[in-house]
Amino acid sequence: MAKDPRPWRGLYKTAAWLRLAKAQKEREPLCATCLMLGRANDGSLTGAGTPQEDRRRRYVVADHKIPHRGDKALFFDPDNLQTLCPDHHDRDKQIEERRGYSERRGPDGWPIDPRHPANQ
Ligand SMILES: [Zn+2]
C-alpha cells in the first residue's frame, strides 16, 4: 500500500480546526497577499485583482504561514494563520513544494520558515 504523503490530513476534519479556521476568517476576512498588493479581496477577486469568474473559487482559506507537516503546535497556533485567496494559496503551496520551504517573510522581512536556507 502506498504511504500517505500527508498523514495529518485528518487534522483538517477536527472540530478544533474548523473552529479555528472560522475564527481566522472572521478576524481577517481579506487575502493577506492581496492586501499587501493594495487590494481588498474577500474572495470576489482573482489573485491578479480581476473579478473572480469561477464561482467555485470565490472563497478565502485559513492558511498556515509556517508549513506544519503534522506538527500540532504549529497546526493549532492561531498566530500561525493567515487568510488567503485560492490563487495566492495555490501559488505559495506550489513554490513550497518545489523548494521544500516557504518564502514567506515576517514583518522584519526575514523568512519565517525554519527550513529556509537563510535560517540554516
Ligand atoms: Zn490573494
Side-chain angles (χ1 to χ4, degrees):
M1 211 171 81
K3 222 175 124 202
D4 185 347
R6 291 186 173 85
W8 56 77
R9 275 183 306 196
L11 289 176
Y12 286 98
K13 295 183 186 134
T14 59
W17 166 252
L18 295 173
R19 212 164 36 235
L20 195 62
K22 185 166 179 275
Q24 167 62 27
K25 289 185 275 185
E26 281 169 2
R27 191 169 60 234
E28 296 172 7
L30 304 175
C31 169
T33 302
C34 286
L35 270 183
M36 274 194 299
L37 297 169
R39 291 193 282 269
N41 183 7
D42 60 359
S44 58
L45 302 176
T46 65
T50 56
Q52 177 57 269
E53 309 284 358
D54 187 345
R55 289 165 167 274
R56 289 160 306 174
R57 289 178 75 79
R58 276 185 205 151
Y59 60 88
V60 287
V61 293
D63 172 65
H64 294 94
K65 293 189 256 190
I66 300 174
H68 58 83
R69 290 180 169 79
D71 179 326
K72 285 188 186 160
L74 280 175
F75 188 91
F76 290 112
D77 179 1
D79 292 331
N80 190 33
L81 294 179
Q82 66 180 349
T83 303
L84 288 180
C85 70
D87 287 350
H88 284 130
H89 182 251
D90 294 353
R91 191 201 58 177
D92 285 2
K93 291 295 143 210
Q94 278 164 15
I95 292 172
E96 270 164 40
E97 277 178 26
R98 205 165 50 232
R99 297 205 184 129
Y101 56 83
S102 166
E103 267 296 346
R104 291 191 191 139
R105 288 164 196 262
D108 58 358
W110 196 257
I112 54 177
D113 192 333
R115 279 179 308 263
H116 192 286
N119 290 323
Q120 298 292 315

